Amino acid sequence: MNKTSLLPESARLVSLDVLRGIALLGILIMNIQSFAMINAAYLNPTAFGDLTDFNKTVWILSHVLADQKFLSIFSMLFGAGIILFCENVKKKGYLPASFYYRRLFWLFTFGLIHGYLFWHGDILVAYAICGALAFIFRKLRPAVLIAIGLILFFVPSFNYWLFGSSLQMWPPEAIENLKISWAPEQWQIDQEIAALTGSIGEQLTWRIPETFKMETFIFFIYMGWRALAFMLMGMGLFRLGFFSNGFHKKTYWLIGVLGLLLGYGLIIVGVNQNFEANWTVEYSMFFGWLWNYYGSLFVALGYTALVMLLVKSWKLTALARVGKMALTNYIFTTLICTFIFYGYGLGMLGEFERWQQLIVVVGVWVMIILASHFWLKKFNYGPLEWLWRYLTYGNRPVLKKE
């Protein structure tokens, strides 16, 4: 049997592709700040740039509507994909483990290249590691998967609560370094901008330690727990039919409305609390972010439920194409944005206000949607999806449509 037939197109779930496409586009609403501004501005909006009038409105809307929500959906879909991948491989008479771990090895490799050479905010390495762990749990009942996922979801908030509560016991130099990372001084801002808009060597000198920190310290205290939690919840929800339109319309409406009401309510309270605290490192870094952290779970579920309702009524083919080429489009987004803002391209880092960044976001969306449309009219897979399958199965998939 040709190993490349393990996942024929007829086996794809269009609802997953549509949701993946929406999540991929939505992630850029927040990631654009990491591309266009200094590193500290993502967590602390007062660290860089104007935060008044329309810029403040843009930040609030982006934070409430997008921050962590689409990434949560993307992580859940990764978990759903584990179940779908394993079921399909088993139906073809193969053991899924060897193919799956080979698949993750190459995802890990793509992530290392992406993170160290192009953008420190890479998520692929974390997904590869967490995906390897999530695979172990794949045979558990849906309720157990969701329960374990929820437990893991609370670990990062406990870590940050512990850090924040013990702050008075930190050495003075550690507190000073923390404050500098939260709100850099002007000379440090200038230094970061100069590095990322400078030569390739200057960019790498800045990027390599930042990427390493993301893949080690940030992974162990935050990202790893969160990604694994949502993967497990995604596995459980997929088995229940949540991502394949297996729920009744009224159920999706209920989840959608309640999810948005609860989630937005928590997040809006958090926004007010952080502004009242003047975005101090003592409150906002350790406690103020929790409002959005918890709220994002409800909003992600609400968004997913509403997308399932849309899929029941519309094909949403353009979004499905974006989702079908998710890996290619994820890397393509980085290449476009780093070309605009970093030194090997236009070097515009720090020159776009928040409202102007949204124009870039819309422009990138248009490019991705059009590129996905025209590519998939002629080819069966995105270029990186084709390469990933080839490296996973060892046989060349048929790329060009007949």
Side-chain angles (χ1 to χ4, degrees):
M1 184 192 306
N2 187 341
K3 295 176 183 177
T4 61
S5 66
L6 287 174
L7 187 57
E9 293 306 298
S10 58
R12 297 188 69 93
L13 286 174
V14 175
S15 57
L16 288 182
D17 284 333
V18 170
L19 191 57
R20 192 178 292 111
I22 291 173
L24 184 120
L25 296 176
I27 287 170
L28 185 58
I29 297 173
M30 286 305 296
N31 279 355
I32 192 64
Q33 297 181 41
S34 182
F35 288 118
M37 307 175 84
I38 64 168
N39 198 31
Y42 188 95
L43 296 178
N44 177 14
T46 65
F48 183 82
D50 176 66
L51 194 63
T52 61
D53 301 326
F54 191 39
N55 282 317
K56 183 177 181 180
T57 301
V58 167
W59 181 86
I60 291 173
L61 289 175
S62 299
H63 178 76
V64 173
L65 300 176
D67 188 17
Q68 299 187 45
K69 289 77 178 176
F70 295 106
L71 185 60
S72 300
I73 295 172
F74 213 74
S75 300
M76 287 192 288
L77 291 175
F78 195 96
I82 295 173
I83 302 296
L84 188 61
F85 179 89
C86 293
E87 289 179 350
N88 186 68
V89 171
K90 287 174 66 177
K91 286 179 183 177
K92 298 298 181 180
Y94 292 92
L95 294 175
S98 60
F99 290 111
Y100 180 73
Y101 282 111
R102 194 184 310 166
R103 177 179 174 86
L104 287 188
F105 169 78
W106 289 112
L107 184 67
F108 182 82
T109 303
F110 292 153
L112 290 178
I113 296 170
H114 178 233
Y116 284 100
L117 294 186
F118 297 101
W119 183 49
H120 69 281
D122 169 74
I123 195 65
L124 301 181
V125 167
Y127 275 14
I129 296 171
C130 293
L133 295 172
F135 182 80
I136 300 170
F137 298 88
R138 69 191 186 281
K139 295 182 180 180
L140 296 178
R141 292 182 292 111
V144 177
L145 287 167
I146 294 170
I148 296 174
L150 286 172
I151 292 171
L152 295 179
F153 175 74
F154 285 100
V155 173
S157 59
F158 173 76
N159 290 338
Y160 276 77
W161 173 84
L162 193 62
F163 293 152
S165 299
S166 63
L167 195 62
Q168 66 273 16
M169 294 181 283
W170 289 26
E173 61 272 16
I175 295 176
E176 186 61 27
N177 289 333
L178 179 70
K179 290 181 178 180
I180 290 173
S181 69
W182 181 252
E185 296 180 5
Q186 188 59 48
W187 69 269
Q188 294 166 314
I189 293 173
D190 295 338
Q191 192 175 60
E192 181 176 336
I193 292 175
L196 289 174
T197 57
S199 66
I200 297 295
E202 290 171 318
Q203 293 176 49
L204 291 176
T205 300
W206 184 90
R207 184 178 301 113
I208 288 173
E210 286 296 323
T211 302
F212 185 73
K213 183 173 72 175
M214 285 287 293
E215 294 174 353
T216 53
F217 180 68
I218 300 301
F219 178 84
F220 286 117
I221 68 167
Y222 172 70
M223 183 56 71
W225 297 101
R226 191 177 190 278
L228 181 57
F230 276 101
M231 286 181 189
L232 294 179
M233 285 187 274
M235 293 165 73
L237 290 170
F238 179 76
R239 287 196 182 280
L240 293 174
F242 185 59
F243 297 110
S244 54
N245 262 318
F247 288 16
H248 193 276
K249 281 188 176 182
K250 290 183 179 179
T251 305
Y252 279 124
W253 273 115
L254 181 64
I255 295 172
V257 173
L258 288 180
L260 297 189
L261 287 176
L262 287 171
Y264 286 159
L266 285 171
I267 298 162
I268 291 170
V269 169
V271 169
N272 290 329
Q273 292 288 338
N274 279 295
F275 276 104
E276 286 182 8
N278 293 318
W279 288 93
T280 59
V281 65
E282 293 84 359
Y283 177 77
S284 295
M285 174 174 270
F286 298 108
F287 306 107
W289 72 282
L290 293 175
W291 299 98
N292 184 57
Y293 183 77
Y294 295 133
S296 67
L297 171 61
F298 295 109
V299 175
L301 293 173
Y303 284 169
T304 301
L306 295 180
V307 170
M308 291 301 103
L309 288 170
L310 289 175
V311 172
K312 286 179 180 287
S313 303
W314 290 286
K315 291 184 178 180
L316 304 175
T317 305
L319 293 171
R321 291 193 182 105
V322 172
K324 188 177 177 182
M325 289 177 53
L327 178 60
T328 295
N329 286 328
Y330 177 66
I331 303 299
F332 185 41
T333 299
T334 292
L335 295 179
I336 296 171
C337 291
T338 54
F339 178 81
I340 294 171
F341 298 110
Y342 289 180
Y344 65 82
L346 302 179
M348 303 292 287
L349 178 66
E351 298 187 24
F352 283 62
E353 295 188 10
R354 284 179 170 83
W355 69 268
Q356 294 170 319
Q357 293 170 27
L358 282 186
I359 298 174
V360 177
V361 168
V362 174
V364 174
W365 284 353
V366 172
M367 292 178 66
I368 287 174
I369 291 170
L370 291 177
S372 300
H373 170 75
F374 288 110
W375 181 272
L376 290 177
K377 283 185 69 175
K378 295 184 178 181
F379 302 101
N380 291 310
Y381 312 98
L384 287 182
E385 284 72 20
W386 179 90
L387 178 61
W388 197 14
R389 290 176 70 96
Y390 174 47
L391 294 170
T392 298
Y393 300 120
N395 288 341
R396 292 184 182 180
V398 178
L399 179 59
K400 194 169 184 179
K401 291 182 177 179
E402 297 179 358

